[in-house]
Amino acid sequence: MYKSRFLIRNTLNDFKIEDRLFRYSRFIPKLYNYCKSLGFEPGKIMPSRAFCSDESQGYPIILITKHFGTFPFNHGMVGGVVATDRHSSHADHGKDMVIIQASHVGYDPQTKTFGIYRRACTEHQEFSANCGKIESVVRWYEHEYLFAKNNIFIEKHNAEFFIVIDNQLLDEARNEGLFLDVEKLIDATNGEFAPMQSLSTAKRFRASSEIIKKFEGISERTNIGNNLLPEHFYFKRQIPEEDIEGRSHLEINLINVMPWIVTSDAPLLEAAKVNTQVEFDRAFRTIVKEEGYQGKRVIYIAGLHIDISPDSGQLFPLTKFIPWAAFIQYGDGRQKTIEQDELYETLKAQTSENPDQIDMEEVISIMDHMAEVKIGD
């Protein structure tokens, strides 16, 4: 449990946001031109998107359609999970293949807050969680963390420091909940973690040297609060492990790194980053093995959508894309994985001018004025 948590936690620091953003109106033509530079044939490229079902993801879909000249195949499920069982169907729909996967997070520029989005179609244009699926998953863990940090207390008596921990947090027989790494919180006496005193709903222990350093200046009993760090705990949750690409898939992706998510300043941003990372790592292997993609040119690119809430009079969000990684399969069968820094620089070097883009209004007008086609007799 601990090893896997720390390995995943390290990747959070490697997902760079600053100086890695593209406006979506620039990103998609750059991606299209990059595809062309690799030999992808205009008019024969079948794009696919693995996005959440949120309406804020509609603008990226419109831009994909405009620049690739066809409506993208739907490769995604709620939360930005890749539906890998759709690979073969996608492969049947084009000569050259593009898959764009992105988790998303809202952003309100007025309050500089991640995780919320103004819903223009609500009565008073209220804000709500974005992504709602990620928020619903994270909420339970946030409540568990809130209870723990408010029910662990630090006390000082006659120059000695004690830590008082709620009994529920010490119950290791629980099937789910927040579980403490007591070695970092409690001072072991003779190698044991025996309580100094049993209280009605908690137990008192001598505090560890780590805790003493953080609370040296206290004069009265205080809760541990935000000093309950991700290194101090982990979570257990009753999740069906076989529920891959099912209802609980997103939670499976996030649970090991939840301590770092719930203690961050922007939990929904961190959760979206993790989901993008885990999904790329998982899905690219299924693409490599997919028979339908053999012999085809393929680009699978993963990243993060930041949905900036539309302002008054603005119909669509100012979506930004932060690339994370890409998998390339060339026409001769060679394969390559591109990491974030190289991917960003590669896309940045492409022009955002696309002479192949379609005029959406003109295309719709042509269809509207075509002769009627009768169905059946």
Side-chain angles (χ1 to χ4, degrees), residues 175-194:
N175 290 324
E176 58 182 24
L178 183 150
F179 292 77
L180 298 172
D181 183 354
V182 294
E183 295 182 10
K184 293 183 172 64
L185 303 173
I186 297 171
D187 177 39
T189 303
N190 298 323
E192 298 181 356
F193 296 97

Side-chain angles (χ1 to χ4, degrees), residues 42 45 244 281 356-357:
I45 306 171
I244 301 300
D281 186 41
D356 301 330
Q357 66 180 294

Side-chain angles (χ1 to χ4, degrees), residues 3-189:
K3 184 176 181 180
S4 64
R5 286 196 301 129
F6 286 119
L7 287 175
I8 296 175
R9 177 255 181 141
N10 288 340
T11 67
L12 278 171
N13 298 326
D14 293 328
F15 197 140
K16 300 171 185 174
I17 299 294
E18 293 184 3
D19 302 322
R20 293 295 183 275
L21 297 92
F22 291 101
R23 277 191 179 219
Y24 226 85
S25 57
R26 304 289 187 272
F27 161 61
I28 290 298
K30 285 176 177 290
L31 176 61
Y32 177 79
N33 286 321
Y34 180 49
C35 291
K36 287 176 62 177
S37 74
L38 297 175
F40 285 53
E41 184 179 343
K44 301 296 182 182
I45 306 171
M46 187 64 225
S48 179
R49 92 279 186 178
F51 301 162
C52 186
S53 57
D54 197 290
E55 80 272 11
S56 64
Q57 305 309 286
Y59 177 58
I61 292 171
I62 291 171
L63 288 173
I64 294 170
T65 304
K66 177 180 178 179
H67 287 283
F68 282 86
T70 185
F71 193 82
F73 185 89
N74 185 2
H75 227 120
M77 297 182 292
V78 66
V81 171
V82 180
T84 62
D85 61 350
R86 302 178 196 173
H87 289 342
S88 60
S89 297
H90 176 229
D92 287 341
H93 292 192
K95 177 184 176 183
D96 298 325
M97 318 309 299
V98 175
I99 306 170
I100 308 169
Q101 184 273 331
S103 296
H104 72 114
V105 63
Y107 182 73
D108 175 32
Q110 300 299 320
T111 61
K112 302 186 185 302
T113 302
F114 283 101
I116 58 174
Y117 184 79
R118 186 188 300 277
R119 303 296 177 181
C121 292
T122 57
E123 183 176 3
H124 302 293
Q125 297 190 336
E126 296 93 349
F127 282 93
S128 68
N130 190 26
C131 162
K133 173 64 175 179
I134 290 178
E135 191 273 340
S136 68
V137 169
V138 171
R139 187 188 309 126
W140 181 86
Y141 297 89
E142 288 183 316
H143 288 168
E144 289 291 306
Y145 176 63
L146 180 64
F147 176 85
K149 71 179 188 177
N150 287 337
N151 288 276
I152 299 175
F153 297 92
I154 313 301
E155 300 175 339
K156 183 179 181 181
H157 300 291
N158 299 324
E160 281 195 285
F161 287 83
F162 301 91
I163 183 168
V164 178
I165 302 176
D166 186 275
N167 286 331
Q168 176 179 290
L169 299 172
L170 297 170
D171 180 9
E172 296 183 348
R174 289 173 293 148
N175 290 324
E176 58 182 24
L178 183 150
F179 292 77
L180 298 172
D181 183 354
V182 294
E183 295 182 10
K184 293 183 172 64
L185 303 173
I186 297 171
D187 177 39
T189 303

Side-chain angles (χ1 to χ4, degrees), residues 154 163 184-185 207-215 224:
I154 313 301
I163 183 168
K184 293 183 172 64
L185 303 173
S208 68
S209 58
E210 177 182 340
I211 293 298
I212 292 173
K213 288 179 182 178
K214 291 181 179 296
F215 290 90
I224 195 169

